[in-house]
């Protein structure tokens, strides 16, 4: 294929920024193969959504297939939270190891985890795992002041989180979003005055949210909770190959 | 896989309650295989949506594959209604037999079927088929009083329906729902004071509808019109493996 | 399969009207095979959405597979517009030829293309390609008077467009739709008093939009931007096999 268009630069794998983080809510094996063979170069990390991996009989096969194709994979934070609530973190950890997982998510979207407790857990897991910690509640009515988001993110990065994920849910209606899906822009701005964008993965499941982040934070913003069907679309948005993020200029022939 | 979490009990197949009823709107053969191999244990019944089966050249193959994998299958009530309107119930019945179908849906979502006529048809089909009858109009503006829903459901169960389906459409915006998708809660409550929940399959295509039924009717509520992509999600909702239906409790380690 | 229902007539391939135009936003190879083997007879044209084809490593294979199965295929107008803006129409044309594409879309959804310039381009491409030209802006706030739509469509057909596409986006919220997805009915009516319906492909990604066109323009209306998952549904809508477009009549047995 010959490339004749002048487009924004785009990093390639392995990426330190411009990460596309995809949520797998339980796709079958041929759909997984379609995704990986067709668009694997555009996927950095896959999350097996919420507690699905716990009852998915094909989970080992799926994890192994992602990993063999240079895609990192981990299980949704819901399982961490449930294990913590039930005092089963040791068994949880052993289970992750039995699945050959190298990443763990430490979140408190459901439970109330005292900050100190959360950073302790991050610190401990960080000795053996790459830790993704998540900030923000899944409860749409819980609105937290921006300075407290910043504090939490800084605290967790310092404790050893590889990246911090800002909560948006699969629906894009909580955490950094209003229940309508609208972005809490002031919150994002305040976070980014204090924290480098590459340390954050912004959950952005909806197209208008992806567009906003690309136009306002940059084409190499880390985007999370991307639906499997939207992987190629997100890549075109980053590269200015879709109307919403195209770089308009006068035709050079005029 | 080692199971270390304390989760709500969940029935296994063949299920008398806790039925998950899935709508197949025309998925291809490898998508069907993905669905059945990956998540077939969580699927009790598949409906080939509305009149799709009538023009789907792969219909025999698809039906046979579902049945060989312990998933019951039938064709949408639209075909019953069209056949009735055109005076072709005999040919309809012969067609069902040619497809080796064991379940028939008797509905009046489109046509006006006098109650007595409907129960007569149910009674007749029930001699040779498992009958699913559906109550409620597809017309979003048709609001029927709760006591009339109860009467209809009782009448049809007595006539021989195996289960009664309460209409919601694929969109979750008619019948037991307001046009916004909101649940007519008073209607559901009144139905359930008179009819055992296990005799009803509640069409609940949207996640917030599924969550409502699980939290308010119970984890073993029969849910219908589940999208193929949501099968694993619904199973996690039933088992308390997703934030919306998780059983919050104090960490046992505290 | 025996056909026993009396249904509206439906054309078969190759179709001059009743065209179903599908958008492929980047489905994998087994999903493509599912689509084509299962429902290819209901698909006339596939558009590889916006700029996806430019970075899809499987693009040649996908194009060839559609074409071998009697489905025409082309790439989204975004690539034409980008090439035009960058003064690269020659390289764009060579690229289309290298992909063995026989159709080109000439659109101005993003850029401001003077009418005369657009018709010149259409005229030139029409010597070697089947031209689909698109009318209407992707900008939801750009509302153009109906008489100007008519003028543009007439001008482009006269310049050699095979069919004119009326813009609706993948979301059905621009061009011929209000931002809510509601149809600009007056606009459609005015267009159809002047232009034969078979010369237009109406982008209609949402079910209620498809239903409206089928009920108001006819079962053989050309519909565009149909999602791959909705192909069978659209076919049932055309044939009166779904509640929304069924022909209600008294049961003939009464």
């Amino acid at each position: 294929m010959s490339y004749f268009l002048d487009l924004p630069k785009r990093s390639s794998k392995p990426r330190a920024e411009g990460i596309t983080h995809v949520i797998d809510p339980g796709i079958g094996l041929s759909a997984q193969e379609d995704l990986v063979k067709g668009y694997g170069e555009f996927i950095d990390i896959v999350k097996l959504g919420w507690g699905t991996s716990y009852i998915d009989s094909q989970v080992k096969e799926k994890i192994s297939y992602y990993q063999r194709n240079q895609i990192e994979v981990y299980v949704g934070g819901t399982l961490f939270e449930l294990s913590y609530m039930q005092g089963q973190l040791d068994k949880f950890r052993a289970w992750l190891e039995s699945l050959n997982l190298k990443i763990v998510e430490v979140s408190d979207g459901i439970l109330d985890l005292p900050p100190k407790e959360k950073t302790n857990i991050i610190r401990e897991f960080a000795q053996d795992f790459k830790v993704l910690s998540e900030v923000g509640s899944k409860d749409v009515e819980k609105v937290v002041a921006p300075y407290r988001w910043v504090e939490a993110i800084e605290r967790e990065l310092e404790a050893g989180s590889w990246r911090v994920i800002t909560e948006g849910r699969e629906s894009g209606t909580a955490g950094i979003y209003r229940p309508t899906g609208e972005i809490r822009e002031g919150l994002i701005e305040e976070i980014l005055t204090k924290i480098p964008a590459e340390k954050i993965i912004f959950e952005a499941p909806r197209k208008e949210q992806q567009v906003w982040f690309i136009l306002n934070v940059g084409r190499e913003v880390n985007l999370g909770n991307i639906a499997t069907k939207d992987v190629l679309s997100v890549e075109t948005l980053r590269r200015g190959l879709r109307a919403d993020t195209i770089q308009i200029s006068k035709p050079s022939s005029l």
Side-chain angles (χ1 to χ4, degrees), chain A:
Chain A
M1 199 188 315
S2 58
Y3 288 102
F4 52 89
L5 293 171
D6 182 26
L7 297 173
K9 285 248 178 322
R10 173 75 173 114
S11 58
S12 56
K13 288 169 76 167
R15 292 185 185 91
E17 54 181 335
I19 290 170
T20 295
H21 163 287
V22 171
I23 181 162
D24 175 343
I27 60 173
L29 297 186
S30 55
Q32 187 192 23
E33 194 179 317
D34 267 14
L35 181 69
V36 170
K37 282 201 182 158
Y39 311 109
E41 60 183 310
F42 309 136
I43 305 171
D44 300 279
I45 307 174
V46 167
K47 172 173 67 179
L48 304 176
W50 59 101
T52 55
S53 54
Y54 195 73
I55 56 170
D56 188 335
S57 60
Q58 301 176 137
V59 64
K60 279 206 165 180
E61 202 168 341
K62 287 187 72 176
I63 289 171
S64 162
Y65 185 74
Y66 281 128
Q67 291 174 332
R68 286 200 312 275
N69 288 279
Q70 286 72 55
I71 295 171
E72 300 194 274
V73 57
Y74 71 100
V75 304
T78 301
L79 289 176
F80 161 77
E81 297 192 49
L82 267 169
S83 302
Y84 175 81
M85 282 191 265
Q86 300 190 359
Q88 299 285 11
L89 280 192
D90 286 349
K91 287 188 181 163
F92 172 63
R93 187 192 184 104
W95 181 67
L96 296 182
E97 283 162 356
S98 77
L99 293 173
N100 194 35
L101 293 170
K102 311 298 185 195
I103 301 184
V104 64
E105 179 178 342
V106 176
S107 59
D108 53 349
I110 313 162
L111 55 78
D112 279 318
L113 198 55
K116 206 175 158 179
E117 177 84 345
K118 193 174 179 191
T119 48
N120 282 342
I121 293 170
I122 291 170
R123 205 166 281 123
E124 205 172 321
F125 270 116
Q127 294 174 15
D128 302 296
F129 291 86
K130 195 185 267 196
V131 177
L132 284 170
S133 68
E134 189 173 53
V135 170
S137 174
K138 292 189 194 298
D139 184 341
V140 296
E141 289 175 8
K142 219 169 192 170
V143 177
V144 174
Y147 80 94
R148 294 192 53 204
W149 281 78
V150 171
E151 282 177 2
I153 296 170
E154 287 180 334
R155 194 166 52 224
E156 297 179 15
L157 286 171
E158 205 203 53
S161 290
W162 173 64
R163 292 283 185 283
V164 172
I165 299 173
T166 57
E167 176 72 73
R169 297 214 71 175
E170 296 71 42
S171 49
T173 55
I176 55 173
Y177 303 103
R178 301 202 169 81
T180 57
E182 211 188 333
I183 295 164
R184 298 187 197 275
E185 302 193 8
L187 169 61
I188 305 299
E189 274 172 40
E190 185 146 343
I191 291 174
L192 290 176
T193 58
K194 304 290 173 56
I195 322 260
E198 63 264 32
K199 300 307 285 179
I200 303 175
I201 297 174
F202 298 98
E203 291 192 346
R206 300 189 185 187
K207 186 185 149 206
E208 64 270 24
Q209 296 168 346
Q210 297 151 10
V211 168
W212 188 91
F213 277 104
I214 287 168
L215 294 180
N216 289 281
V217 180
R219 295 183 182 276
E220 294 278 349
V221 64
N222 300 325
L223 296 174
N225 269 7
I226 303 303
T228 57
K229 68 177 178 50
D230 293 334
V231 166
L232 186 56
S233 170
V234 166
E235 191 65 23
T236 59
L237 287 172
R238 292 183 184 281
R239 297 188 192 216
L241 284 166
R242 193 163 191 182
D244 315 81
T245 61
I246 228 164
Q247 292 175 312
I248 303 287
S249 58
K250 294 277 168 215
S252 57
S253 64
L254 291 189

